[in-house]
Coordinates of all heavy atoms in Angstrom, one line a residue:
L736 N 5.4 8.7 5.2 CA 5.0 8.0 6.5 C 4.6 9.0 7.6 O 3.6 8.9 8.3 CB 6.1 7.0 7.0 CG 5.7 6.4 8.4 CD1 4.5 5.4 8.2 CD2 6.9 5.4 8.8
L740 N 1.1 9.4 9.6 CA 1.1 9.3 11.0 C 0.4 10.6 11.6 O -0.3 10.5 12.6 CB 2.4 9.1 11.7 CG 3.0 7.6 11.4 CD1 4.5 7.5 11.8 CD2 2.2 6.6 12.0
G744 N -6.5 9.0 11.9 CA -7.1 7.7 11.8 C -6.5 6.7 11.0 O -7.1 5.7 10.5
V745 N -5.1 6.8 10.6 CA -4.6 6.0 9.6 C -4.1 4.7 10.4 O -3.4 4.8 11.4 CB -3.4 6.6 8.8 CG1 -2.5 5.4 8.0 CG2 -3.8 7.7 7.9
E746 N -4.6 3.5 10.0 CA -4.2 2.3 10.7 C -3.4 1.5 9.7 O -2.9 0.3 10.3 CB -5.4 1.6 11.2 CG -6.0 2.4 12.3 CD -7.5 1.7 12.8 OE1 -8.0 0.9 12.0 OE2 -7.9 2.1 13.8
E747 N -3.5 1.7 8.4 CA -2.7 0.9 7.5 C -2.2 1.7 6.4 O -2.9 2.6 5.9 CB -3.7 -0.2 6.9 CG -3.3 -1.0 5.8 CD -4.2 -2.2 5.4 OE1 -5.1 -2.4 6.1 OE2 -3.9 -2.7 4.2
I748 N -1.0 1.3 5.9 CA -0.4 2.0 4.7 C -0.1 0.8 3.7 O -0.1 -0.3 4.1 CB 0.8 2.8 5.1 CG1 2.0 1.9 5.6 CG2 0.5 3.9 6.1 CD1 3.3 2.5 5.7
V777 N 10.5 2.5 6.0 CA 9.1 3.0 6.1 C 8.3 1.9 6.9 O 7.5 1.9 7.8 CB 8.5 3.2 4.7 CG1 7.0 3.4 4.8 CG2 9.2 4.4 4.0
I778 N 8.6 0.6 6.4 CA 7.8 -0.5 7.0 C 8.0 -0.7 8.4 O 7.3 -0.9 9.3 CB 8.0 -1.9 6.2 CG1 7.6 -1.8 4.7 CG2 7.5 -3.1 6.9 CD1 8.1 -2.9 3.8
A779 N 9.3 -0.6 8.8 CA 9.7 -0.7 10.3 C 9.1 0.4 11.1 O 8.5 0.1 12.1 CB 11.2 -0.8 10.3
G780 N 9.2 1.6 10.6 CA 8.6 2.7 11.3 C 7.2 2.6 11.4 O 6.5 2.9 12.5
A781 N 6.5 2.1 10.4 CA 5.0 2.0 10.4 C 4.6 0.9 11.4 O 3.7 1.1 12.2 CB 4.5 1.6 9.0
R782 N 5.4 -0.2 11.5 CA 4.9 -1.2 12.4 C 5.3 -0.9 13.7 O 4.5 -1.2 14.6 CB 5.7 -2.5 11.9 CG 4.9 -3.2 10.7 CD 5.9 -4.3 10.0 NE 6.3 -5.3 10.9 CZ 5.7 -6.5 11.1 NH1 4.6 -6.8 10.3 NH2 6.1 -7.4 11.8
D783 N 6.3 -0.1 14.0 CA 6.6 0.3 15.3 C 5.5 1.2 15.8 O 5.2 1.2 17.0 CB 7.9 1.2 15.4 CG 9.1 0.2 15.3 OD1 8.9 -1.0 15.4 OD2 10.2 0.7 15.1
A784 N 4.8 1.9 14.9 CA 3.7 2.8 15.2 C 2.4 2.1 15.3 O 1.3 2.7 15.4 CB 3.6 4.0 14.2
G785 N 2.4 0.7 15.1 CA 1.2 0.0 15.2 C 0.4 -0.2 13.9 O -0.8 -0.5 13.9
L786 N 1.0 0.3 12.8 CA 0.2 0.3 11.5 C 0.4 -1.1 10.8 O 1.5 -1.7 10.9 CB 0.7 1.4 10.5 CG 0.7 2.7 11.0 CD1 1.0 3.8 9.8 CD2 -0.7 3.1 11.5
R787 N -0.6 -1.5 10.0 CA -0.4 -2.7 9.1 C 0.1 -2.2 7.8 O -0.1 -1.0 7.3 CB -1.8 -3.3 9.0 CG -2.1 -4.2 10.0 CD -3.8 -4.2 10.1 NE -4.4 -4.5 8.9 CZ -4.7 -5.8 8.5 NH1 -4.4 -7.0 9.2 NH2 -5.4 -6.0 7.4
V788 N 1.0 -3.0 7.2 CA 1.6 -2.6 5.8 C 1.4 -3.6 4.7 O 1.5 -4.8 5.0 CB 3.0 -2.3 6.0 CG1 3.6 -1.7 4.7 CG2 3.5 -1.5 7.2

Side-chain angles (χ1 to χ4, degrees):
L736 176 61
L740 290 172
V745 173
E746 293 175 346
E747 177 173 340
I748 64 163
V777 171
I778 295 168
R782 282 165 54 98
D783 283 350
L786 306 187
R787 280 152 52 92
V788 186

